[in-house]
């Protein structure tokens, strides 16, 4: 007679590989070398930008693994991000850092009464990025490789040399230096109250660059629908890669009308603060080049969801700002993307991304491949640690 011994019930609890021991949050103010003006300043909607507020999250685990991530705010919002992150971070202590998606949801619910977009999820973004950095470091892989890279470099273009507070001659000089640094494309700002001046500046830069250099323009949401249609049609003669933010970021229908009417690609999305908002652009057919910003939409977890939607819709991808994060995410996008080069963030990190032959190269350093500089520590205006301190 054979006796069958029933197997013990299988545990439904997930295996725990490690536990979060501490989370350190730092509010850092990055001063800009000179006040920055785009079209929003010239239309009276904003003051020149003199600094950028950063929220850094540094996570350590019981097994000694570490991850670093960041979010940011231009002009107002940095204090709100720091305050919200400080409130929800205690909910991470003792959690397994591998469960990044579950932890994102947990933190959203911890602050559910203030919503799932804007400052609250931008605060969570810094933590989410740190968790992904930690995960890739523990695997010994650059983040792009962990995600599944399609390439080891991405096309890149520069924006920081093309603002409206500088003369067109200075913008041309900036463009020349940019190309000499191995960056492949140039973006300049438009959207002035006098559209004739916009056209004069674009013409001057295009003639300076010649026909072979990729050129983009960015109106920073400062045109109404008739102006956007009229000026964009005039801009088509300059063989632009795209026309960026011609309309208010939330005007999906207006962007769709432009996209249907122009031969030049329409790009937008950087000012949106959730996957759901981007999904509306996609649903309306309002964009040719989607420009999400991982720190603005809640981090890498949310960016990956959006990237899948963009790929299914056959869209080009050109993430906004934060190239230290976006180079990895763009490298993992199936279609050839663009990444925006900004030199403003150089003082924050000890490492530099390599640019040559028009491309930005993913380093072989694990994770994001960045460490915080001593200057970042010096610019820290507030700091809090939850959990154990080693």
């Amino acid at each position: 007679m054979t006796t069958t011994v029933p197997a013990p019930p299988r545990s439904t609890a997930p295996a725990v590989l490690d536990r979060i021991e501490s989370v350190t949050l730092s509010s850092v103010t990055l001063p800009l070398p000179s006040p920055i003006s785009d079209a929003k300043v010239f239309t009276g909607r904003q003051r020149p930008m003199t600094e950028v507020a950063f929220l850094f999250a540094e996570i350590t685990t019981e097994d000694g693994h570490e991850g670093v991530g960041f979010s940011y705010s231009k002009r107002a919002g940095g204090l709100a991000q720091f305050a919200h992150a400080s409130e929800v971070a205690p909910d991470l202590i003792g959690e397994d850092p591998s469960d990044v998606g579950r932890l994102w949801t947990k933190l959203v619910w911890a602050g559910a009464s203030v919503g799932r977009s804007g400052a609250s999820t931008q605060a969570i973004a810094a933590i989410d990025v740190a968790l992904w950095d930690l995960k890739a470091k523990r695997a010994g892989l650059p983040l792009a490789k962990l995600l599944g890279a399609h390439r080891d470099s991405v096309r890149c273009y520069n924006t920081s040399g093309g603002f409206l507070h500088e003369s067109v001659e200075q913008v041309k000089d900036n463009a020349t230096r940019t190309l000499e640094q191995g960056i492949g494309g140039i973006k300049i700002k438009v959207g002035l109250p006098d559209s004739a001046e916009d056209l004069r500046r674009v013409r001057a830069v295009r003639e300076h660059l010649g026909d072979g250099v990729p050129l983009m323009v960015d109106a920073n949401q400062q045109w109404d629908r008739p102006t956007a249609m009229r000026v964009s049609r005039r801009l088509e003669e300059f063989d632009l890669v795209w026309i960026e933010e011609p309309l208010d970021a939330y005007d999906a229908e207006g962007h769709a009308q432009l996209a249907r009417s122009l031969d030049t690609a329409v790009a937008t999305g950087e000012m949106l603060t959730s996957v759901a908002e981007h999904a509306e652009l996609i649903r309306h057919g309002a964009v040719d080049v989607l420009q999400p910003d991982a720190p603005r939409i809640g981090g890498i977890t949310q960016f990956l969801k959006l990237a899948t939607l963009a790929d299914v819709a056959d869209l080009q991808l050109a993430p906004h700002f934060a190239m230290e994060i976006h180079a990895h995410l763009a490298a993992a996008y199936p279609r050839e993307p663009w990444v925006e080069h900004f030199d403003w963030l150089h003082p924050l990190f000890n490492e530099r991304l390599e640019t040559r032959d028009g491309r930005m190269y993913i380093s072989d350093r694990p994770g994001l491949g960045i460490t915080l500089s001593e200057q970042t520590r010096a610019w820290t205006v507030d700091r809090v640690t939850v959990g154990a301190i080693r």
Side-chain angles (χ1 to χ4, degrees), residues 13 56-57 70 84 114 156 180 199 213 255 261 312 328 331 350 376:
F56 284 96
F70 66 90
H84 188 80
V114 293
C156 59
E180 290 171 349
L199 294 167
V213 176
H255 278 96
S261 302
V312 170
H328 291 273
N350 293 314
T376 299

Side-chain angles (χ1 to χ4, degrees), residues 18-315:
D18 195 359
R19 295 186 187 277
I20 295 173
E21 184 175 65
S22 69
V23 180
T24 297
L25 302 168
S26 301
S27 177
V28 175
T29 301
L30 167 71
L32 297 176
S34 60
I36 302 296
S37 296
D38 59 23
K40 297 186 293 293
V41 173
F42 287 85
T43 57
R45 287 175 169 160
Q46 290 183 342
R47 296 187 298 272
M49 182 166 51
T50 59
E51 60 189 29
V52 181
F54 282 84
L55 168 64
F56 284 96
E58 297 169 88
I59 297 175
T60 61
T61 73
E62 293 176 355
D63 287 349
H65 297 289
E66 299 179 351
V68 61
F70 66 90
S71 188
Y72 72 94
S73 180
K74 297 175 181 177
R75 301 178 174 88
L79 295 178
Q81 290 178 7
F82 179 76
H84 188 80
S86 300
E87 284 191 276
V88 301
D91 284 7
L92 292 169
I93 304 304
E95 289 281 10
D96 189 333
S98 297
D99 303 337
V100 184
R102 181 178 64 82
L103 294 181
W104 192 92
T105 301
K106 181 178 184 179
L107 295 183
V108 167
W109 279 106
S113 65
V114 293
R116 299 187 182 187
S117 65
S120 60
T121 47
Q122 288 162 13
I124 295 170
I127 295 169
D128 182 80
V129 172
L131 288 171
W132 279 102
D133 180 55
L134 190 155
K135 191 173 212 174
K137 285 176 178 173
R138 187 171 58 200
L141 295 171
L143 178 61
K145 290 292 187 182
L146 181 76
L147 298 175
H150 287 264
R151 56 195 67 83
D152 63 5
S153 66
V154 292
R155 293 180 297 182
C156 59
Y157 69 96
N158 178 267
T159 294
S160 47
F163 279 83
L164 291 170
H165 63 277
E166 293 188 313
S167 69
V168 69
E169 291 303 317
Q170 184 61 57
V171 170
K172 286 158 59 176
D173 289 344
N174 295 343
T176 297
R177 285 195 300 273
T178 292
L179 297 176
E180 290 171 349
Q181 295 167 8
I183 297 166
I186 301 296
K187 187 173 79 178
I188 68 169
K189 299 292 185 173
V190 293
L192 289 166
D194 180 4
S195 57
E197 178 62 12
D198 279 336
L199 294 167
R200 185 186 75 82
R201 289 171 68 92
V202 175
R203 184 180 301 280
V205 173
R206 171 50 85 200
E207 290 176 352
H208 175 71
L209 296 176
D211 294 334
V213 176
L215 177 63
M216 305 83 161
V217 300
D218 181 359
N220 287 106
Q221 309 178 76
Q222 295 310 291
W223 292 329
D224 57 24
R225 290 187 184 183
T227 303
M229 187 67 75
R230 176 175 53 82
V231 179
S232 293
R233 284 176 170 158
R234 295 284 303 277
L235 287 168
E236 296 226 80
E237 69 173 285
F238 301 114
D239 190 26
L240 302 174
V241 178
W242 67 65
I243 299 170
E244 183 172 332
E245 287 197 316
L247 297 168
D248 184 276
Y250 291 88
D251 185 4
E253 183 178 333
H255 278 96
Q257 291 174 357
L258 273 179
R260 289 192 298 266
S261 302
L262 300 174
D263 292 328
T264 304
V266 172
T268 192
E270 68 179 65
M271 296 303 295
L272 303 183
T273 61
S274 69
V275 173
E277 292 168 358
H278 283 83
E280 276 297 286
L281 287 180
I282 296 171
R283 186 175 70 83
H284 280 83
V287 62
D288 301 300
V289 184
L290 197 65
Q291 298 182 298
D293 184 317
R296 281 186 177 162
I297 64 172
I300 292 171
T301 298
Q302 297 303 295
F303 188 101
L304 295 176
K305 293 180 181 180
L306 179 55
T308 298
L309 296 179
D311 183 38
V312 170
D314 296 330
L315 296 180

Side-chain angles (χ1 to χ4, degrees), residues 355-378:
T355 56
R356 55 184 164 86
D357 301 325
R359 302 185 71 85
M360 183 180 293
Y361 283 77
I362 309 301
S363 82
D364 58 3
R365 297 184 295 270
L368 292 173
I370 57 174
T371 56
L372 303 186
S373 68
E374 288 304 313
Q375 183 62 73
T376 299
R377 306 299 184 191

